[in-house]
Amino acid sequence: MNTITAEILANTSAVESLNILMEGNNRFVNNLKYNRNFLSQIEETKNGQHPHAIVLSCMDSRTPIEHIFDQGIGDIFSIRIAGHIVTDEVIGSLEYACKLVGTKLILVLGHSKCGAITGACQHKKLGKLTGVLAKITPALVTVQQRLQSTDHSETELISEVTKEHIIQSVQALTRQSDVLKTLLEQDRIGIVGAHYDVSSGKVEILSQKFI
Ligand SMILES: [Zn+2]
């Protein structure tokens, strides 16, 4: 697996970037990870970086992004924050990657058994964590309205809120960022929502935005 150069990045599409990630996840779940020479990659990337994708994911210790997608040094940007919430600072980081570095794909990755989603569903309050969980509440409200009259367990509720929060996070990016919206309309980036299962290691794509 070669380290990404500016030329390779310029010739990589958002769809190809997604394929690189999904092929990497396939190697990960089959225990076929590339045996990378990290010292060589440090040498090859010391003067610049050209990551093909940026992943917005949760801080959960069971979702180590480079491992999950079998990526090397310089391959992907990674933003990790509880409940993969979308904040102005997160959007600014995404804009930097996509507009200034030329990264082709934004992947919003939620996961099963997420403590932040569970906390939001249970209306937990704690210091500034309350504000983090409030960013997940719109997904909870949507799912509660959808499930209103049906019989469902808390586990089912949390699972549904997790997926809804991924989809709402994807939508929030272009709604809250003119920079990302324009890049998407110009077919210069793709935005994808995906779900990671902590019991299998598998990534499943939930929504895709490509022009
Ligand atoms: Zn989580």
Side-chain angles (χ1 to χ4, degrees):
M1 196 68 187
N2 294 326
T3 298
I4 304 172
T5 61
E7 194 184 355
I8 292 172
L9 178 61
N11 290 308
T12 302
S13 69
V15 174
E16 285 166 343
S17 172
L18 180 60
N19 287 340
I20 291 168
L21 293 181
M22 295 309 285
E23 283 167 12
N25 180 245
N26 197 40
R27 289 193 301 276
F28 173 67
V29 294
N30 288 295
N31 212 17
L32 295 171
K33 294 183 300 296
Y34 285 141
N35 185 16
R36 290 183 168 83
N37 184 334
F38 286 131
L39 294 182
S40 295
Q41 290 204 308
I42 287 171
E43 184 63 24
E44 287 160 5
T45 57
K46 69 182 181 188
N47 292 321
Q49 59 169 343
H50 311 282
H52 65 90
I54 179 161
V55 181
L56 169 59
S57 63
C58 185
M59 63 189 264
D60 196 291
S61 66
R62 299 164 294 178
T63 61
I65 297 307
E66 279 82 357
H67 289 307
I68 287 171
F69 292 109
D70 189 25
Q71 298 293 288
I73 291 171
D75 288 347
I76 53 175
F77 281 116
S78 176
I79 305 173
R80 298 185 65 182
I81 186 166
H84 61 85
I85 58 168
V86 175
T87 68
D88 282 353
E89 293 81 2
V90 164
I91 288 176
S93 305
L94 292 167
E95 289 174 344
Y96 166 74
C98 296
K99 181 75 179 180
L100 300 184
V101 181
T103 298
K104 300 301 175 68
L105 181 78
I106 297 173
L107 185 85
V108 178
L109 186 71
H111 67 97
S112 58
K113 306 277 169 62
C114 180
I117 304 284
T118 303
C121 291
Q122 295 173 344
H123 307 285
K124 293 275 195 256
K125 305 263 185 265
L126 173 71
K128 293 194 186 302
L129 178 63
T130 305
V132 173
L133 302 186
K135 295 264 188 192
I136 302 169
T137 303
L140 173 62
V141 171
T142 302
V143 171
Q144 278 174 331
Q145 284 167 351
R146 196 191 300 151
L147 295 180
Q148 224 165 25
S149 54
T150 60
D151 227 8
H152 60 271
S153 65
E154 187 186 41
T155 307
E156 284 165 339
L157 175 74
I158 291 167
S159 170
E160 287 299 306
V161 173
T162 301
K163 291 181 178 174
E164 179 63 30
H165 179 52
I166 293 165
I167 287 162
Q168 290 194 7
S169 300
V170 167
Q171 291 166 346
L173 297 184
T174 45
R175 200 177 56 240
Q176 294 179 31
S177 168
D178 288 339
V179 173
L180 297 178
K181 184 166 177 277
T182 303
L183 287 170
L184 186 70
E185 286 168 354
Q186 292 172 342
D187 200 17
R188 289 167 62 190
I189 62 166
I191 306 177
V192 170
H195 179 266
Y196 177 76
D197 187 334
V198 296
S199 59
S200 69
K202 277 192 186 149
V203 172
E204 176 198 4
I205 296 169
L206 296 185
S207 73
Q208 299 189 37
K209 277 192 181 187
F210 297 110
I211 300 290

